[in-house]
Amino acid sequence: MKQTLLIWCHYYTGGKFPGLRKKIENLEVNSATDKELCEALREGGESREQAFAELYRRYASRIYQYARRILNRDAEAEDILQETFLKFLDILKKDAVIENVPAYLLRIARNLSLRVGSKKQMTVPIEDYHAIFEESPMEADETSKILTMSLDLLPKEQREALVLQVYGGLSYIEIGEVMGVPMTTVRNWVVRAKDKMRKIVAPYFQGEESH
Amino acid sequence: MSIANNAHSDLIHLFIDGEATETERNALFGALKDSPELQEEFASAMQLKQAFASDIMKLQPPSYLQERIAERAGLIVAASSTVATAPVVVNSLSNSVTSALSTAAPYAATGISKGLLTLLIGTTVGVLSTIGVIKYTNSTKETPNAEMIGRQSAIVDRHSSITDRQNSETSQASNINEGAENISGATNNQSSVSGNSLRASTNNSSTQTNRFAPTNQITESPARRVNRAVAESENNLATTVDNNSAEDIETVNNNVSNGTTVHDDIALAASMPTIGLATPMIPEVKNIGGSSAGHTPLYDGNEGFFSEPEWMAHMSVILRGMPAPTSKVFQGGKDQAAVPPWNNVGWGLKYEIDPFSAVALEGGLETFPVYLLGKDGKFTGHHSIGWGGASFTYSFPFAEILAIHPEVRALAGMSSAGPITKFSAGLVFQPVGQFSVSVDPEYTALFIKENGAITAGSKFGLTGSIRFHF
């Protein structure tokens, strides 16, 4: 219906609105699969720009959120996001066939994050968690502070699996493919991580409710 | 037991993540029923999920990153599109179109300021266009009743010569006050005259059988007498005349049949009496003849005459309404704002150029379900718009049957969401000249600016209108 309407408007106005023409093209992009978008990016031409915009719209926030929660730095998360997409576009040029685009993007982001994170200490002993809480000035929101704090208390693998599941939006199977471990292992990691986080954050949320 | 509880605790998270099998779900539900502790764990696990959801909403990448990545990748930079949650994706227009439309389509933040600005712009456009059309039509169309204007000129010429003659007789007047009684008598006589003939009233204004009464018996100015006679002749055009002068009667009758009774009566009256003491003040004759609206002109006389500007006779007020439901074809998507029951109300001021065409200033409030993409990447639903504009209507009076004739209308204007156009074609029922009703199928097209691009939508429905003529 939308496409019919836009096409009608386009011809009714004699094609004088280039925006309408682009809109019609965008309609096709919105409903395209990830594979089709990758094909468009690979082939080049005018549709490449639209295909990139659509892919960015679908997955950029996931990548940014993953990097942000793993590295706890805005600037580094932005760098990870940029590098992830640039690397992805480079890989597409090499005619790589990508079946699962979000998982592939997050794998790239994970690898880049690991490279950055290996330079820093990623875990903190539990007795120091109050200090970490005070040192998280970037989180203006109280909930975000609590979550960041509790994530930092998790073992590395559990934290990564949890962040991939919650912020990356991947299933257990996809997380297993990204991390290179069996799905059952991912399942255990995620469940353990969430249970631990639940126990850590429950007093804070109960305190909010009582107020 | 603790192992089982731990297992059930795990099931909670699997279930919330959507990764639990059917067997695991059933086991969890069974355990939840009998364990308050497990229920508390379930509640706190849901709280954690909500906290994650809240955190995800706040963590969004900066909008400039997309452009930066596209530039570095060698792609043409697309319009910045923040992550949107609605199906419409917008793209940029060429700069010229965007800038033109951005100046033409104000995009205010609040509904009130948006509506006021829209009405201002629409009214200004409508006023300017209407003035332009009126000026054009007045400069190009042939002055109506040119023949009448010519006769008026002849009458004025005759008045001038009469004035000269009467001035010469002024010196003969000696006793003006003595004529007051005669004037009173003349007035009484006039009221008894059934006819409207100026000639008759003028004759009876004198106690003399000779209508050319001595000047010293008349104190009423010729102008006042003429005006009074004109008023009488206006009211009784078809009544009998005094037959004192067959020739005069014939002249008057001819004038009545020619529709120039009033005007020529002035000439006749002025030519008859030798009573001009003072310089006659011939009333300035205006609006001779009828306009296309059938308006009967009145003189802009010296005393007590009502005067209506000609243009007002062409004016009418319109009230429109469109009840729901209407066919909604908008933005092509399935997600549309709900339509309240009352759909459309409008008003207008119309000026008839001629029996076929008219222009109008119109405005209205209209339900228009539309989602507008904001700069924050979120869509907000709008249920109604305010609009204003100018319209052109073309009627087909020659196709009238039983006081019903067709007409078509086109409107262009501005709305609180963007430029708007309307097209309607319907039937007008006009039982009397001052009132008409119409039913028109109406198509409305709205052009909306969303984050730098233009999208269009339309609505089709049935409009009813009432028109009151001045």
Side-chain angles (χ1 to χ4, degrees):
Chain A
M1 174 68 87
K2 178 189 286 188
Q3 192 158 1
T4 305
L5 173 66
L6 287 179
I7 291 171
W8 181 87
C9 287
H10 172 67
Y11 284 105
Y12 177 73
T13 55
K16 293 178 183 174
F17 289 94
L20 275 177
R21 192 165 49 243
K22 281 193 176 179
K23 263 285 176 73
I24 293 170
E25 293 169 358
N26 280 345
L27 279 178
E28 298 170 349
V29 168
N30 286 354
S31 56
T33 62
D34 288 346
K35 252 187 187 175
E36 291 169 346
L37 293 176
C38 292
E39 278 300 316
L41 278 169
R42 195 175 290 118
E43 288 173 4
E46 289 185 2
S47 59
R48 197 162 174 249
E49 176 193 347
Q50 293 160 358
F52 167 74
E54 178 59 20
L55 270 180
Y56 187 90
R57 187 188 73 86
R58 291 181 188 182
Y59 303 120
S61 55
R62 289 201 218 181
I63 298 167
Y64 178 80
Q65 287 154 11
Y66 166 80
R68 183 66 176 76
R69 280 292 166 254
I70 290 293
L71 300 173
N72 280 332
R73 291 287 184 272
D74 278 338
E76 289 172 354
E78 292 178 18
D79 291 340
I80 295 294
L81 175 59
Q82 285 190 68
E83 295 304 320
T84 299
F85 268 99
L86 290 173
K87 201 159 189 177
F88 180 72
L89 292 171
D90 282 339
I91 291 170
L92 282 180
K93 289 178 187 174
K94 298 172 185 174
D95 294 332
V97 178
I98 300 169
E99 294 294 335
N100 191 335
V101 171
Y104 197 87
L105 286 169
L106 283 164
R107 183 185 298 175
I108 298 173
R110 177 178 179 262
N111 292 337
L112 293 170
S113 301
L114 287 174
R115 209 175 301 165
V116 173
S118 62
K119 301 173 185 175
K120 308 172 10 176
Q121 186 179 7
M122 296 291 286
T123 58
V124 176
I126 192 167
E127 48 271 15
D128 293 336
Y129 76 89
H130 287 299
I132 291 172
F133 184 79
E134 295 300 326
E135 290 172 0
S136 301
M138 317 188 72
E139 309 296 346
D141 183 71
E142 203 66 26
T143 302
S144 298
K145 275 186 182 176
I146 294 168
L147 291 175
T148 305
M149 170 200 72
S150 54
L151 279 171
D152 285 341
L153 294 172
L154 296 174
K156 177 185 171 184
E157 300 82 12
Q158 290 183 12
R159 179 171 68 241
E160 196 167 347
L162 178 63
V163 171
L164 282 171
Q165 193 270 324
V166 171
Y167 295 93
L170 298 182
S171 66
Y172 291 175
I173 294 176
E174 291 172 336
I175 294 171
E177 292 174 358
V178 170
M179 296 182 70
V181 296
M183 187 271 279
T184 51
T185 306
V186 172
R187 181 169 152 146
N188 287 335
W189 282 345
V190 171
V191 168
R192 295 280 94 76
K194 283 193 172 179
D195 196 53
K196 195 174 289 185
M197 281 192 70
R198 180 184 66 79
K199 289 171 183 171
I200 295 172
V201 305
Y204 293 96
F205 291 146
Q206 284 173 2
E208 288 178 1
E209 283 181 1
S210 63
H211 294 158
Chain B
M1 181 64 80
S2 62
I3 296 173
N5 280 346
N6 284 340
H8 289 140
S9 296
D10 294 347
L11 291 180
I12 290 173
H13 298 290
L14 291 176
F15 171 74
I16 291 174
D17 291 344
E19 298 278 357
T21 63
E22 189 174 348
T23 306
E24 289 168 337
R25 282 200 300 271
N26 293 335
L28 175 63
F29 295 153
L32 278 171
K33 272 192 299 186
D34 302 324
S35 173
E37 289 175 358
L38 207 60
Q39 290 171 12
E40 281 183 24
E41 281 186 35
F42 189 90
S44 66
M46 286 301 297
Q47 276 182 327
L48 179 64
K49 178 172 182 173
Q50 287 167 5
F52 278 131
S54 170
D55 192 40
I56 285 170
M57 292 299 293
K58 296 184 188 102
L59 274 183
Q60 296 295 329
S63 56
Y64 57 80
L65 275 180
Q66 182 182 352
E67 280 183 41
R68 190 187 293 178
I69 295 170
E71 283 176 7
R72 289 184 59 183
L75 296 166
I76 299 173
V77 177
S80 62
S81 60
T82 56
V83 176
T85 56
V88 176
V89 173
V90 296
N91 226 331
S92 61
L93 280 175
S94 62
N95 289 339
S96 59
V97 176
T98 304
S99 60
L101 287 169
S102 60
T103 55
Y107 196 72
T110 64
I112 296 175
S113 61
K114 215 190 290 186
L116 279 176
L117 191 60
T118 301
L119 285 175
L120 268 176
I121 293 174
T123 305
T124 304
V125 168
V127 166
L128 291 175
S129 61
T130 304
I131 291 173
V133 169
I134 292 172
K135 285 198 166 189
Y136 171 77
T137 53
N138 283 340
S139 64
T140 56
K141 69 176 183 180
E142 186 179 0
T143 307
N145 305 307
E147 187 181 355
M148 299 302 297
I149 296 291
R151 280 203 289 271
Q152 180 185 8
S153 299
I155 293 170
V156 171
D157 291 338
R158 281 204 296 276
H159 290 170
S160 298
S161 63
I162 292 166
T163 302
D164 293 337
R165 190 175 71 243
Q166 290 172 343
N167 282 337
S168 67
E169 297 169 354
T170 302
S171 59
Q172 301 178 18
S174 58
N175 192 356
I176 296 174
N177 291 330
E178 291 178 4
E181 294 178 4
N182 289 335
I183 295 299
S184 300
T187 305
N188 290 334
N189 287 334
Q190 285 173 2
S191 64
S192 67
V193 172
S194 60
N196 68 332
S197 170
L198 186 59
R199 173 69 49 121
S201 62
T202 308
N203 283 340
N204 290 328
S205 67
S206 170
T207 55
Q208 311 291 326
T209 56
N210 186 349
R211 61 181 181 272
F212 296 100
T215 58
N216 58 357
Q217 295 180 351
I218 303 299
T219 57
E220 185 183 41
S221 69
R224 189 184 294 272
R225 187 167 61 254
V226 165
N227 289 341
R228 181 161 42 78
V230 165
E232 290 172 359
S233 66
E234 284 278 350
N235 293 328
N236 298 292
L237 281 173
T239 50
T240 57
V241 301
D242 183 50
N243 56 2
N244 287 346
S245 168
E247 182 184 349
D248 292 336
I249 292 171
E250 184 183 356
T251 305
V252 169
N253 285 339
N254 288 337
N255 290 338
V256 169
S257 64
N258 293 333
T260 61
T261 304
V262 173
H263 310 283
D264 282 337
D265 279 350
I266 294 176
L268 289 171
S271 64
M272 291 181 308
T274 56
I275 53 176
L277 296 178
T279 304
M281 293 159 54
I282 306 300
E284 184 180 5
V285 178
K286 288 183 181 177
N287 299 337
I288 298 176
S291 70
S292 59
H295 167 65
T296 304
L298 298 174
Y299 287 104
D300 185 14
N302 295 312
E303 292 94 15
F305 275 41
F306 171 74
S307 170
E308 179 185 276
E310 184 186 13
W311 60 266
M312 190 177 282
H314 298 259
M315 303 294 295
S316 57
V317 172
I318 310 164
L319 297 175
R320 292 184 192 278
M322 177 194 288
T326 61
S327 170
K328 302 184 292 294
V329 180
F330 206 78
Q331 287 184 302
K334 296 178 182 177
D335 298 330
Q336 296 181 3
V339 179
W342 185 244
N343 207 270
N344 180 359
V345 58
W347 50 88
L349 195 62
K350 200 169 191 176
Y351 176 87
E352 294 173 352
I353 302 169
D354 55 51
F356 300 98
S357 52
V359 291
L361 289 176
E362 296 188 45
L365 296 172
E366 191 165 321
T367 299
F368 221 129
V370 55
Y371 283 106
L372 299 180
L373 179 63
K375 293 179 181 177
D376 59 356
K378 294 182 180 177
F379 281 73
T380 54
H382 290 260
H383 297 282
S384 62
I385 57 172
W387 60 271
S391 69
F392 177 82
T393 304
Y394 193 86
S395 303
F396 302 87
F398 51 82
E400 181 179 287
I401 299 175
L402 298 176
I404 300 174
H405 68 268
E407 70 174 19
V408 293
R409 163 179 157 263
L411 177 139
M414 296 298 301
S415 76
S416 52
I420 189 171
T421 61
K422 284 178 177 285
F423 301 95
S424 64
L427 297 172
V428 179
F429 173 63
Q430 189 165 5
V432 294
Q434 287 75 28
F435 175 77
S436 63
V437 293
S438 67
V439 175
D440 310 274
E442 184 183 80
Y443 171 83
T444 303
L446 186 65
F447 296 87
I448 299 171
K449 180 182 177 184
E450 292 183 57
N451 209 15
I454 297 294
T455 185
S458 63
K459 187 173 73 167
F460 188 79
L462 205 61
T463 302
S465 67
I466 303 174
R467 200 163 82 190
F468 302 94
H469 299 257
F470 286 114

